[in-house]
């Protein structure tokens, strides 16, 4: 999970598909990003024939994949193109802020920005309009963040369901709204096992420890993770905790969020840790960007420190304490080491080929459910989100 200290103003970036650029964009997506950067040379998929049928029939199709890897958007772009469809993507504002050339390329491929920390009405309206007027699949990730655990879902945001329900209410004639859960799993080449010792040594050295290549890999991973947790506890709480890792992670997350909320206020509707984090980031950034009454230097420093606290709270939340401890499979070892690399080094390593296995689940007939009274026209986002979460979770267990 990448550290964000975003105190920059946000400007919505709309999609501007350019047909002539599409072949070049798809080539770069496959050759430069999937194969070279993320080392994903093989994609296996199932269930997209139904998606293609719905798109060809002119319906509104929203694809909702899990989001556990930085290559997920590139995987989805390649698969949608493989099945001779075009697509639109909602992507975090941060990816547009890397470079002007990159932002232009994303727009040209039908991608538009969203500010995840606030009510981005432009992004919502764009998504609804695309669903209403186009039959090209729209891809939105309902988890919102990248958590690096492919076999577990984080609680889904209701935004995806809310957007589709609003779009469904505006559809005319025979056009219907469909929600398709998409499960993405990555499987590593067995050769990845041979990279663990060197990578763990680099991580141990990064925090000032003497590398222990003679120690068992699983023991090193747990030792390193526990050590990092202790360092964060010392940094923010003043002392290292004791007890089960999951309990310590939950306690740290709650302590940091409660501390910031005591200063910034809390949205009573925000219940999960990600919702509370988004609420605090929105409040803090709003104050940082207050043009009428700019914060003083000391206040700005304190606000930025609070951004660090809520980021660390989300970091703690993103580590599932029993995910690796419950089952030390090759893929879970690799995922955990990649997550530690991102947190310590800034970006994970992909030293061996990975296979992406992607399953499009049974499409959920949102328009038909509304017509039959199975979903209320108002307030149905929660029920639809729960259904999506259940279907998506089942796909990840197959």
């Amino acid at each position: 999970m990448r550290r964000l200290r975003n105190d920059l103003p946000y400007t919505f970036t709309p999609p501007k598909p350019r047909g002539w650029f599409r072949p070049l964009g798809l080539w770069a997506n496959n050759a430069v990003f999937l194969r070279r950067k993320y080392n994903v040379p093989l994609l296996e998929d199932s269930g997209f024939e139904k998606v293609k049928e719905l798109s060809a029939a002119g319906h509104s199709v929203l694809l909702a994949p899990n989001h556990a890897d930085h290559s997920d958007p590139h995987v989805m772009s390649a698969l949608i193109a493989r099945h001779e469809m075009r697509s639109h993507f909602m992507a975090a504002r941060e990816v547009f802020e890397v470079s002007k050339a990159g932002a232009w390329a994303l727009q040209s491929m039908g991608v538009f920005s969203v500010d995840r920390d606030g009510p981005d009405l432009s992004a919502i309206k764009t998504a609804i309009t695309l669903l209403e007027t186009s039959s090209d699949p729209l891809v939105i990730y309902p988890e919102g963040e990248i958590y690096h655990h492919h076999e577990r879902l984080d609680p889904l945001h209701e935004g995806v369901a809310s957007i589709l329900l609003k779009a469904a209410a505006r559809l005319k004639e025979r056009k219907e709204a469909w929600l398709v859960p998409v499960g993405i799993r990555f499987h590593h080449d067995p050769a990845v096992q041979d990279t663990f010792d060197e990578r763990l040594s680099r991580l141990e050295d990064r925090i000032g420890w003497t590398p222990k290549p003679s120690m068992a890999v699983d023991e090193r991973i747990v030792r390193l993770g526990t050590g990092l947790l202790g360092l964060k506890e010392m940094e923010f709480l003043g002392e290292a905790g004791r007890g089960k890792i999951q309990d310590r992670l939950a306690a740290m997350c709650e302590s940091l969020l409660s501390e910031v909320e005591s200063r910034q206020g809390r949205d009573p509707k925000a219940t999960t840790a990600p919702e509370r984090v988004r609420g605090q980031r929105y409040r803090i950034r709003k104050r940082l960007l207050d043009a009428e009454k700019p914060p003083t230097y000391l206040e700005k420093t304190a606000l930025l420190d609070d951004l660090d606290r809520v980021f660390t709270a989300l970091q703690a939340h993103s580590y599932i304490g029993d995910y690796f401890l419950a089952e030390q499979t090759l893929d879970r070892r690799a995922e955990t080491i990649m997550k530690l690399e991102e947190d310590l080094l800034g970006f994970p390593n992909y030293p061996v080929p990975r296979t992406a296995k992607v399953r499009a689940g049974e499409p959920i007939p949102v328009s038909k459910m509304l017509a039959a009274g199975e979903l209320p026209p108002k307030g149905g986002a929660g029920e639809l989100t729960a259904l999506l979460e259940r279907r998506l979770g089942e796909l990840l267990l197959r």
Side-chain angles (χ1 to χ4, degrees), residues 41-245:
L42 184 61
L43 306 178
E44 298 179 4
D45 70 274
S46 61
F48 280 84
E49 295 80 6
K50 183 62 175 177
V51 176
K52 185 176 180 180
E53 289 178 11
L54 294 172
S55 178
H59 295 305
S60 299
V61 182
L62 197 158
L63 304 181
N66 62 304
H67 202 8
D69 194 90
H70 290 291
S71 67
D72 291 339
H74 303 283
V75 168
M76 291 298 297
S77 293
L79 288 181
I80 290 169
R82 175 186 289 181
H83 290 274
E84 301 176 327
M85 293 181 287
R86 296 174 181 267
S87 60
H88 290 95
F89 281 75
M90 178 187 283
R93 58 172 286 191
E94 289 80 13
V95 302
F96 289 86
E97 296 169 352
V98 176
S99 71
K100 291 184 178 180
W104 181 89
L106 288 168
Q107 285 183 285
S108 299
M109 293 298 290
V111 185
F112 60 98
S113 69
V114 64
D115 185 355
R116 295 174 294 178
D117 298 333
D120 191 345
L121 298 181
S122 294
I124 294 171
K125 290 178 180 178
T126 298
I128 293 172
T129 299
L130 287 171
L131 289 166
E132 181 185 11
T133 62
S134 173
S135 63
D136 295 333
L138 171 62
V139 182
I140 304 179
Y141 294 90
E143 286 178 287
E145 301 277 355
I146 299 173
Y147 291 101
H148 293 293
H149 38 73
H150 300 87
E151 298 176 57
R152 300 270 187 95
L153 273 180
D154 207 69
L156 306 186
H157 307 323
E158 292 187 2
V160 170
S162 179
I163 286 172
L164 190 55
L165 286 171
K166 290 177 181 177
R170 295 168 56 171
L171 298 182
K172 299 178 181 179
E173 298 178 354
R174 297 183 179 180
K175 190 177 177 73
E176 298 175 352
W178 294 80
L179 177 60
V180 183
V182 180
I184 306 175
R185 289 278 303 275
F186 288 87
H187 298 278
H188 296 75
D189 186 289
V192 73
Q193 185 78 39
D194 298 330
T195 73
F196 289 163
D197 281 337
E198 181 180 349
R199 293 161 70 189
L200 286 168
S201 291
R202 186 183 179 195
L203 292 170
E204 290 164 341
D205 183 70
R206 178 70 177 81
I207 62 172
W209 285 3
T210 300
K212 299 289 185 181
S214 61
M215 186 180 293
V217 167
D218 292 345
E219 186 178 350
R220 290 179 79 184
I221 293 174
V222 174
R223 175 176 176 265
L224 181 61
T226 305
L228 285 174
L229 175 57
L231 287 174
K232 286 295 182 181
E233 289 171 329
M234 284 295 299
E235 179 183 4
F236 288 100
L237 306 181
E239 61 180 358
R242 293 185 177 182
K244 294 182 179 179
I245 292 178

Side-chain angles (χ1 to χ4, degrees), residues 26-48:
L26 290 174
W27 172 84
N29 181 73
N30 296 338
V32 177
F33 290 97
L34 276 180
R35 289 187 173 86
R36 187 179 304 174
K37 184 174 183 178
Y38 297 113
N39 213 341
V40 185
L42 184 61
L43 306 178
E44 298 179 4
D45 70 274
S46 61
F48 280 84

Side-chain angles (χ1 to χ4, degrees), residues 286-307:
K286 184 177 181 181
R287 179 68 190 110
L288 284 168
L289 298 175
D290 189 341
E292 294 185 2
K293 188 181 178 182
T296 64
Y297 174 80
L298 290 178
E299 184 185 2
K300 181 177 180 180
T301 300
L303 289 167
L304 290 174
D305 286 344
D306 274 351
L307 275 183

